[in-house]
Amino acid sequence: MNKRKRMVSVLAGIMAAVMLLTLMLSLLPTPASAASSSEIRKQINALKEEKEAIQEKITEVQGQYEENENEIVDLMERKSVIDQEVQLLNEQVDNINDQLKAFNLLIADKQDELDNAEERYQQLNDDNKLRIRTMEEEGELSYWEVLFKANNFSDLLDRLNMVEEIAASDNRRLQELADAANNVVEAQQELEVEKEDMEKTKEELDSTQAELDAKVQESMDLLQELLSKGDELAALQEEYEAMEADFLEQIAQKEVEYDAAKQAEWEAYMATYVPPTTEGGSGGSGGSGGTSGGGGWVRPCSYTSITSPFGYRESPTTGASTYHQGVDLDTGTGWSVVAARAGVVIAASYSNSAGYYVQIDHQDGFRSIYMHLSSIGASVGQIVSAGTYIGATGATGIATGDHLHFGISLNGVYVNPCNYVAL
């Protein structure tokens, strides 16, 4: 007996030392290479926040890109108008060029007229000079001499007629010479006018061509600017998307690390886990449950009866299932609900049908679920032992009264809880 006591004392000392060592190790800072699941979760959350910020940048860039596309559309509409103006200006340029061709032909005709007029004037002038020179060479002869040399009155009349004809001829020659000179002047003036008009038309052509070139250049410059901006935005979006992809890859890697850390923490917890052996209350208001059913399972709560067993049933109320995937344990309001087995809380939320509920993953293919709670006393990620308080009974969701819907699934398929828990 004394030996047994001493052995118990030694074992108790060893257990105490192990627990103390475990506590001390838990207080030591975790190396970067073996970060805890909570630290990894913080890193994941930080990466997700950064990813969201990048996504906002991508959305902003996409908005700017859409605005740039709208500007391009507006510009293309403007360019269409400018192209029409360009077409009209081209037609105007063609018209002006045709005018210049006509002016060149007209000026050529005027030049011919001027040349002919100058040639006619020169010929008349030469003839007149020749006649004067001949008269000078033959001596001066006045009209009176011609008249006084008449032999008789009839000869006088003839000589008078001849003088008149000579005078008329001279007058005609002089008039032709004057007319030829006037024609030369007029032809020169008309030629100068046509040349001036042609120069003005050339200036108009240059101005129109300059306007045309300016409009085309303006359109091309704006289009090039917007296309360049579009390329910059596209490059920026690609950069942000690459950053987002990098964050997603980091998050995925951290999720793997998180799962590994959770598994390591669970294995460390299970290595020191001792299933409870104390009996819980079997009924009555406010009871906590906890009676073991073998395999580490305990009752999730105290209850008065099973009001709806596992399997096919008649639906108790609208919206309830006809195939019951758990058991309903009749309770009062606010009775304690505990984890039926050690595990990790993977859900602690609310739904229209289940009301407030908690789901626990037992890390070996089994999961348990607790529905219609009035309140939740556990959080996602929490490691719980069998008998750990996780909430209180109620009638939230689709329920006809206060009770606990307790379900167990194995590898995703619901099984009868009574096969695992002594209910």
Side-chain angles (χ1 to χ4, degrees), residues 382-419:
Q382 179 182 346
I383 297 175
V384 295
S385 303
T388 300
Y389 176 81
I390 60 171
T393 59
T396 58
I398 299 176
T400 56
D402 293 309
H403 72 285
L404 174 69
H405 172 96
F406 173 54
I408 295 176
S409 65
L410 176 60
N411 297 323
V413 179
Y414 279 100
V415 295
N416 191 342
C418 293
N419 294 336

Side-chain angles (χ1 to χ4, degrees), residues 48-82:
K48 286 183 176 179
E49 289 178 0
E50 293 184 37
K51 186 190 78 67
E52 290 299 324
I54 292 297
Q55 183 57 50
E56 289 179 2
K57 291 287 186 182
I58 292 174
T59 303
E60 181 181 345
V61 169
Q62 288 174 342
Q64 293 180 16
Y65 194 76
E66 290 175 359
E67 290 178 2
N68 190 64
E69 287 181 336
N70 292 334
E71 290 179 6
I72 291 177
V73 171
D74 292 340
L75 178 63
M76 294 307 295
E77 292 177 354
R78 280 188 56 200
K79 190 175 183 301
S80 177
V81 174
I82 291 176

Side-chain angles (χ1 to χ4, degrees), residues 141-168:
L141 180 64
S142 66
Y143 291 122
W144 294 112
E145 283 185 280
V146 173
L147 293 175
F148 288 148
K149 288 182 179 181
N151 297 321
N152 51 42
F153 184 74
S154 176
D155 187 27
L156 177 64
L157 292 177
D158 291 337
R159 287 178 177 271
L160 285 173
N161 288 334
M162 183 181 65
V163 168
E164 288 179 357
E165 289 178 3
I166 293 172

